[in-house]
Amino acid sequence: MSMNASGRADSHAGTDAGQPGFSTIDELLAAVERQLSMAADERALILEELRGHLEEAATAREAAGQDRAAAEREAVAAFGAAGAVAARLNRAHPVHWGTARMLRGTLAGILIPYAVWTLVTFPLLVYNYAHLTTQERASQPISLWGMAFDALPLAFGAFRVLFSGAGLVWLAAFLALSLAVPFAWGRRSRQSWRPGLAYGLGLLVGFWWLLPGILIRRDDFEQAQFVLSAAAVWALAPLAVAASFAGARLHLPARLSAAFQSPRPSTRSSTTRRLPAARALTVGVAVILLGANVWAGTRAAELARAEVLPPVSEQLARAQAIAAFPLRLPSALPDRLTLTSVELVPGATARPWVALQYESADGVWLTLSETNAQPADDSLPIAPNYRVSQGTVGGAQPVWWLYTRKITARETILMWQQDGLYFTLASDGPFSVDELKQVAASV
Amino acid sequence: MQEMKKGSLELLVLHLLYERPSYGYEICERLRERSDGTLRFEEGAVYPLLHTLEREGLAEGYWEGSAPSPTSGTVATSAGEEADTTRKGPRRRYYRLTPAGVEALRAAVQEWRRFTGAVGRVLGEAARGEASLRGEVA
């Protein structure tokens, strides 16, 4: 434990080198205070001790005949550079990232990215939905809570946003807000990697399901995009360590460095009563996020109220008006099923799918989708995730296949092409493949 | 002189605290008076040192001042002096050595004496060499 008594600032302290000297005790203490990183109560005691020293030194000089201003100026000058004193005090009072703090950091690493994910996704989901055409919205009725649920990480709604025009906004907001936390922790604790490690571990624990999600739902998304998205989220773990390291080690200009300190009322200087820039930024971002989510909630409720579906016959007529091909309806349907809605589902091309939804009173459903645009992925699904068969529908020798998704083992989908149109017939109901083939043949 | 002061502040502060409990400003004043102004440190450097001594268990800090405490009054020090800790005004944070601090001081003094002895021996040889050289010239 050696001490450099010369009072030189070290490179990490956010020193005030090059700044004009302080002339009053309040100014000096405010500068020291801005650069201290320990807990607020500990900081207050330290500042009280330093103030006592400076006041006594100034009073002694005053007693020797100096006026108060000169006495304070000399006491401050004899005290040394604020940055150097603060840096040494920070080293003497390290914020210890022990087991308990690491566990709390890990928990925060789970919860904060989940919250950020949801709060960023919800307004963008609603924004995207609000910018669909009236017809498209009418064919995809939403509810406020359904949209809010979609915004949760496990509901994968963010991936719809990510691959839309608002994808970059989502990505930038999620990365910046998620990484701001380990950066600030590193900055305030002067601990290079531990805060980021705890946060990154939490992130990996919170998003462990991304890879299984890719495997299970790879038929719902472009796989390469999905893998890239998962990689981007998982990359946040090492990035959190890097952010923490940067926060601890990055030499920021004194004003910016001070922005990462908390406001504390322990000194009498009026300058310290101002809200630090980082805190103001946090409040500003929180207000924007909250405002965006309030807007989204209000807008989603409005849209949901406005989208009471018209009668099925009208839905069918609207869909027919948009589709550039004659819609085909099955003539042979299992008992109990009736047409309940007609939806226009955006596809990979400008031409949408038309989805005819048949439902029974007890919740069994069957969906016939048709389009005249070649689907983006019309290749045969890959075993062993799918049970693939080939055969004919209606004796017209089309190629068709059926498969069972692992995520919903009972769901069966038939896909075929006929007369330049592409069809899928899907159901998770208790229908045999032969029954579905009969429905397909009757289209 | 500046380089020689490096590292010596800890030893000096330990010694001053061994003599009697003291607070930061008083330590600075005692250093200045006892060295006739030769040893002048930036006063702010004393506090990180005191806090480090406290964190390492070599010193114990306590507040004295406006609020009376059970330990207020005069404190008998290891050097037989008395520290007046009953006073009005803003409270002060005093520090006193712990037994571990006394041990650390003892070790630091021995180290310092070894260092100064070695330097002295070198300077002594140099002085003899200089005298011898002067004699030859004369």
Side-chain angles (χ1 to χ4, degrees):
Chain A
M1 182 188 61
S2 67
M3 169 62 65
N4 175 359
S6 62
R8 278 195 289 268
D10 71 0
S11 60
H12 163 68
T15 67
D16 44 10
Q19 294 183 8
F22 304 111
S23 57
T24 68
I25 292 171
D26 283 345
E27 285 173 359
L28 175 73
L29 287 178
V32 172
E33 183 182 22
R34 280 196 298 269
Q35 296 174 66
L36 291 179
S37 59
M38 65 287 299
D41 50 349
E42 198 175 2
R43 198 163 43 218
L45 289 174
I46 290 170
L47 288 166
E48 181 182 354
E49 188 178 14
L50 300 188
R51 178 174 289 282
H53 176 114
L54 289 161
E55 296 282 2
E56 191 164 350
T59 303
R61 284 174 169 83
E62 220 175 348
Q66 289 186 328
D67 63 67
R68 179 68 189 178
E72 279 205 20
R73 207 162 38 244
E74 276 198 14
V76 163
F79 197 75
V85 173
R88 288 177 182 149
L89 285 167
N90 285 337
R91 282 201 296 275
H93 297 265
V95 179
H96 181 56
W97 272 73
T99 307
R101 197 179 281 263
M102 288 290 280
L103 285 174
R104 286 201 298 274
T106 304
L107 186 63
I110 297 172
L111 298 178
I112 291 174
Y114 263 61
V116 168
W117 179 299
T118 306
L119 293 173
V120 168
T121 303
F122 181 54
L124 291 176
L125 271 177
V126 175
Y127 174 85
N128 275 358
Y129 187 83
H131 282 77
L132 293 176
T133 64
T134 308
Q135 180 63 36
E136 286 169 336
R137 282 208 305 273
S139 65
Q140 300 175 55
I142 63 160
S143 70
L144 171 62
W145 297 114
M147 193 70 91
F149 177 79
D150 271 0
L152 294 171
L154 282 163
F156 285 85
F159 288 91
R160 291 210 304 275
V161 173
L162 198 55
F163 303 135
S164 72
L168 280 179
V169 175
W170 186 91
L171 199 61
F174 180 65
L175 288 177
L177 294 176
S178 298
L179 291 178
V181 175
F183 181 85
W185 286 354
R187 191 83 208 152
R188 294 193 62 187
S189 68
R190 310 285 178 183
Q191 298 276 321
S192 301
W193 55 271
R194 279 176 163 262
L197 180 67
Y199 190 83
L201 280 176
L203 231 148
L204 289 180
V205 170
F207 287 95
W208 68 269
W209 46 268
L210 272 179
L211 184 59
I214 290 168
L215 296 175
I216 291 170
R217 299 194 61 167
R218 66 183 179 187
D219 54 322
D220 287 358
F221 298 95
E222 288 292 326
Q223 196 168 353
Q225 290 176 324
F226 208 152
V227 169
L228 279 176
S229 310
V233 174
W234 279 351
L236 277 176
L239 283 176
V241 178
S244 164
F245 193 87
R249 298 295 177 89
L250 202 63
H251 182 67
L252 298 175
R255 283 180 66 87
L256 200 55
S257 178
F260 285 90
Q261 308 305 319
S262 302
R264 48 207 87 112
S266 52
T267 67
R268 291 192 289 264
S269 168
S270 60
T271 58
T272 59
R273 296 199 192 101
R274 290 181 309 186
L275 196 61
R279 182 63 63 92
L281 186 64
T282 306
V283 170
V285 168
V287 167
I288 289 171
L289 262 185
L290 189 67
N293 278 272
V294 168
W295 168 84
T298 311
R299 188 81 180 106
E302 284 173 8
L303 292 170
R305 274 198 302 275
E307 284 149 14
V308 177
L309 283 176
V312 174
S313 58
E314 197 174 324
Q315 293 178 46
L316 196 59
R318 284 185 183 179
Q320 182 60 80
I322 290 174
F325 59 91
L327 292 176
R328 297 188 180 188
L329 277 62
S331 56
L333 277 170
D335 290 341
R336 316 185 308 274
L337 289 178
T338 56
L339 183 63
T340 55
S341 69
V342 181
E343 298 179 11
L344 283 165
V345 182
T349 68
R351 287 172 288 187
W353 285 82
V354 177
L356 306 165
Q357 183 80 9
Y358 295 87
E359 292 178 24
S360 70
D362 54 354
V364 174
W365 61 267
L366 183 149
T367 303
L368 172 67
S369 302
E370 43 196 271
T371 184
N372 63 341
Q374 185 169 355
D377 183 9
D378 62 346
S379 58
L380 280 170
I382 302 166
N385 293 330
Y386 305 93
R387 187 158 54 85
V388 181
S389 301
Q390 287 184 304
T392 61
V393 169
Q397 297 298 325
V399 175
W400 64 275
W401 56 86
L402 60 93
Y403 57 94
T404 303
R405 295 183 187 184
K406 276 193 169 177
I407 190 171
T408 52
R410 291 173 58 209
E411 185 171 347
T412 305
I413 300 178
L414 274 63
M415 303 178 72
W416 74 96
Q417 181 187 355
Q418 194 169 21
D419 302 334
L421 300 179
Y422 297 84
F423 296 90
T424 68
L425 184 65
S427 176
D428 67 348
F431 309 118
S432 68
V433 172
D434 284 338
E435 284 177 298
L436 291 180
K437 283 164 68 177
Q438 285 174 15
V439 175
S442 73
V443 171
Chain B
M1 181 59 74
Q2 193 63 46
E3 286 301 311
M4 286 178 63
K5 287 197 293 187
K6 280 186 182 179
S8 62
L9 183 60
E10 178 185 352
L11 170 64
L12 296 171
V13 169
L14 282 171
H15 182 73
L16 292 179
L17 294 181
Y18 175 74
E19 289 180 349
R20 69 164 192 261
S22 201
Y23 60 99
Y25 177 74
E26 188 186 45
I27 288 170
C28 294
E29 287 299 296
R30 289 169 66 197
L31 275 172
R32 188 164 30 251
E33 286 166 10
R34 299 272 289 272
S35 68
D36 292 329
T38 305
L39 296 176
R40 297 179 78 89
F41 296 90
E42 288 189 342
E43 293 170 8
V46 169
Y47 292 93
L49 174 58
L50 288 169
H51 294 188
T52 304
L53 291 176
E54 188 175 10
R55 185 165 55 85
E56 293 180 348
L58 304 182
E60 184 185 3
Y62 56 97
W63 289 96
E64 291 288 351
S66 54
S69 79
T71 58
S72 63
T74 53
V75 176
T77 68
S78 50
E81 300 174 31
E82 287 187 344
D84 179 13
T85 57
T86 304
R87 51 178 291 279
K88 302 283 184 188
R91 60 183 191 156
R92 293 165 174 161
R93 187 161 179 80
Y94 279 78
Y95 296 86
R96 62 185 160 218
L97 276 197
T98 63
V102 174
E103 282 304 309
L105 172 63
R106 188 167 292 129
V109 167
Q110 283 177 358
E111 180 67 23
W112 179 259
R113 284 182 178 149
R114 267 200 300 275
F115 171 72
T116 52
V119 172
R121 283 193 296 278
V122 171
L123 292 179
E125 287 166 10
R128 280 194 297 278
E130 263 182 45
S132 159
L133 188 61
R134 277 198 301 271
E136 285 173 12
V137 171

